[in-house]
């Protein structure tokens, strides 16, 4: 396993739609392990493969209270409902947060590392936000495209470390993914 470097916000791999995984093989499983390790190292709650320069449709999510990462191969949002405003950050845009417009409910269909298809339904929580944020990454979109308005983005204080946003449930909503 290895921590992989994150690509910069300007890297075109972040603005392109990623490619679906045809078969979950040993190479994919290795990639996922590296993604999880990279997410932990960067103290994010989620990571999409293109954030480490790999243009494949894979994301991992691990909320602060979760013991294991959720692995999403070929995730697709199959249902969205409602809207809400949230504070959001991204490992690919370090040092900034913004106020985004996101869905209240999200249903995602994906495959696990066993290749089997599963569905996850989330409503009104950090998982809901992370599912939209990561599938957005895989579609070539960053959260800055979902801002409530263009002035709703701000730089963190210099003494405020990225990891400090990872605290309790309310603060976790502003952690990076
Ligand atoms: Ni992100």
């Amino acid at each position: 396993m290895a921590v992989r470097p994150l690509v910069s916000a300007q890297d075109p791999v972040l603005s392109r739609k990623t490619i679906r995984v045809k078969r979950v093989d040993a190479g994919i499983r290795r990639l996922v392990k590296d993604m999880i390790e990279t997410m932990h190292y960067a103290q994010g709650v989620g990571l999409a493969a293109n954030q480490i320069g790999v243009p494949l449709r894979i994301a991992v999510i691990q909320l602060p209270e979760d013991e294991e990462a959720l692995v999403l191969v070929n995730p697709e949002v199959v249902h969205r409902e409602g809207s809400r405003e949230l504070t959001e950050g991204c490992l690919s845009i370090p040092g900034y947060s913004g106020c985004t417009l996101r869905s209240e409910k999200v249903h995602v269909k994906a495959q696990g590392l066993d290749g089997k298809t599963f569905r996850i339904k989330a409503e009104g929580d950090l998982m809901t936000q992370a599912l939209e944020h990561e599938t957005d990454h895989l579609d070539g979109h960053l959260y800055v495209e979902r801002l409530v308005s263009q002035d709703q983005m701000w730089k963190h204080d210099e003494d405020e470390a990225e990891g400090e946003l990872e605290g309790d449930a309310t603060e976790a909503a502003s952690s990076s993914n």
Side-chain angles (χ1 to χ4, degrees):
M1 298 212 292
V3 172
R4 305 230 199 150
L6 294 160
V7 301
S8 75
Q10 292 77 32
D11 196 305
V13 75
L14 288 176
S15 53
R16 292 192 198 118
K17 198 173 159 82
T18 50
I19 302 157
R20 288 180 67 85
V21 174
K22 290 204 178 75
R23 200 168 64 89
V24 177
D25 57 16
I28 295 293
R29 285 191 289 271
R30 261 198 309 275
L31 168 64
V32 166
K33 277 185 182 171
D34 286 357
M35 286 174 63
I36 293 169
E37 193 164 315
T38 304
M39 172 176 66
H40 289 164
Y41 178 79
Q43 296 185 287
V45 301
L47 187 78
N50 49 344
Q51 290 185 276
I52 55 167
V54 178
L56 290 175
R57 198 166 183 87
I58 305 172
V60 292
I61 294 173
Q62 187 166 3
L63 306 185
E65 65 270 26
D66 292 344
E67 281 182 19
E68 283 193 353
L70 173 68
V71 178
L72 301 157
V73 177
N74 298 328
E76 300 285 350
V77 175
V78 292
H79 180 75
R80 293 178 210 271
E81 204 177 314
S83 67
R84 56 185 184 140
E85 289 183 14
L86 296 167
T87 299
E88 197 155 327
C90 179
L91 295 175
S92 298
I93 311 169
Y96 288 86
S97 292
C99 181
T100 56
L101 195 60
R102 291 288 185 190
S103 304
E104 180 66 29
K105 270 191 204 179
V106 175
H107 297 180
V108 167
K109 191 171 95 173
Q111 288 160 260
L113 281 182
D114 57 4
K116 286 184 184 152
T117 300
F118 66 94
R119 281 169 190 263
I120 177 163
K121 296 179 179 184
E123 180 176 353
D125 57 7
L126 181 57
M127 176 58 79
T128 317
Q129 180 180 13
L131 286 168
E132 279 198 311
H133 182 107
E134 301 312 331
T135 51
D136 258 3
H137 268 304
L138 298 175
D139 287 330
H141 300 298
L142 295 171
Y143 80 88
V144 295
E145 298 166 61
R146 310 288 184 219
L147 295 177
V148 171
S149 64
Q150 283 310 305
D151 60 346
Q152 291 296 304
M153 195 168 170
W154 56 89
K155 203 172 188 342
H156 300 153
D157 295 338
E158 279 182 19
D159 59 348
E160 185 185 7
E162 200 80 4
E164 287 177 22
L165 293 169
E166 304 279 340
D168 58 41
T170 35
E171 288 198 338
S174 33
S175 53
S176 299
N177 44 62

